[in-house]
Amino acid sequence: PAPGGGSISAYIGSLGASLATMVANLSSHKRGWDDKWETFSKIAEEGQLHLAELEKLVDEDTKAFNEIINSFRIKAQTKEEKQKKELAIQAATLNAIEVPLTIMEVAVKSMNIIKILTQKGNPNSVSDAGVAALCARSAVIGGYFNVMINLKDYTNKKYKKELLLKAEKLKKIAIQKESEIIQLTLKIISNL
């Protein structure tokens, strides 16, 4: 059962960050853009950081799922054992919420550089930036699905509400950023 949707969300986000890094590198080496080399190199470095973090989150999400399974397998006969089991389940559930929430955060951050690359990067690579945005948005929505499915089993109502609000905000930002990037990508492509 694992890796599942959360891990795949992180992986597709890493593909988007990888594409963004490629566009930054192609832009920094574009003939006649020597004065922009440092700017695009910094963007490429940031893209590599997002890529590395998202790749790490692929495994973190798998571990989070396995922790939930293992916590449900704890044998509990006495009242004390049942309480310990429930605490383990809640801790594992919280982790299974926080990992995809982190996937969402990192993917949204990657969209910031993707938008810059769409606006200012090598216009011959703008389609790659558009695909990077699609990947990043998919990572966010996939992370959102995983947050939501695990939130239903989390019992801390106050923190549950905070987590839900954060996830909703990130989802909204990603959808808006993707729309802006897609429109810009299409506009540039049609003018090439």
Side-chain angles (χ1 to χ4, degrees):
S7 294
I8 299 306
S9 297
Y11 185 68
I12 198 167
S14 75
L15 293 174
S18 180
L19 272 172
T21 301
M22 181 192 77
V23 173
N25 286 327
L26 289 171
S27 299
S28 70
H29 292 91
K30 182 172 171 45
R31 190 176 309 195
W33 284 21
D34 296 338
D35 60 325
K36 299 177 183 182
W37 181 85
E38 190 174 337
T39 299
F40 287 115
S41 293
K42 286 180 182 177
I43 293 171
E45 288 174 12
E46 187 177 342
Q48 286 289 359
L49 293 174
H50 297 319
L51 168 60
E53 192 167 359
L54 287 160
E55 284 180 335
K56 186 180 119 197
L57 287 162
V58 170
D59 292 331
E60 290 299 316
D61 190 77
T62 298
K63 287 178 193 172
F65 176 80
N66 289 334
E67 286 175 20
I68 287 180
I69 297 299
N70 291 337
S71 66
F72 274 99
R73 289 180 177 157
I74 295 172
K75 295 194 187 314
Q77 300 294 329
T78 68
K79 182 178 180 182
E80 185 179 277
E81 289 172 338
K82 289 176 183 177
Q83 287 175 334
K84 284 184 180 180
K85 179 178 180 173
E86 182 55 31
L87 287 174
I89 290 169
Q90 287 301 303
T93 300
L94 178 58
N95 188 45
I97 295 165
E98 290 178 335
V99 170
L101 200 54
T102 303
I103 293 166
M104 294 176 73
E105 289 172 330
V106 177
V108 164
K109 285 180 193 173
S110 77
M111 294 181 94
N112 294 329
I113 65 169
I114 294 166
K115 185 170 182 184
I116 291 168
L117 291 165
T118 306
Q119 293 168 321
K120 299 178 181 180
N122 185 337
N124 295 321
S125 301
V126 73
S127 60
D128 297 310
V131 173
L134 296 174
C135 290
R137 195 262 332 167
S138 293
V140 173
I141 301 300
Y144 176 79
F145 290 161
N146 283 271
V147 167
M148 297 305 291
I149 199 159
N150 289 303
L151 262 178
K152 68 179 179 46
D153 296 324
Y154 189 57
T155 58
N156 181 328
K157 289 182 181 179
K158 183 180 179 195
Y159 194 44
K160 183 178 189 171
K161 185 176 181 181
E162 288 176 33
L163 292 165
L164 175 62
L165 290 173
K166 189 174 186 179
E168 293 287 351
K169 182 178 178 182
L170 289 166
K171 179 183 74 159
K172 184 177 180 181
I173 290 169
I175 290 168
Q176 179 62 39
K177 282 184 185 288
E178 181 202 37
S179 176
E180 292 168 3
I181 294 167
I182 297 291
Q183 288 174 22
L184 186 56
T185 300
L186 291 171
K187 181 179 178 184
I188 293 168
I189 288 171
S190 66
N191 289 327
L192 286 180

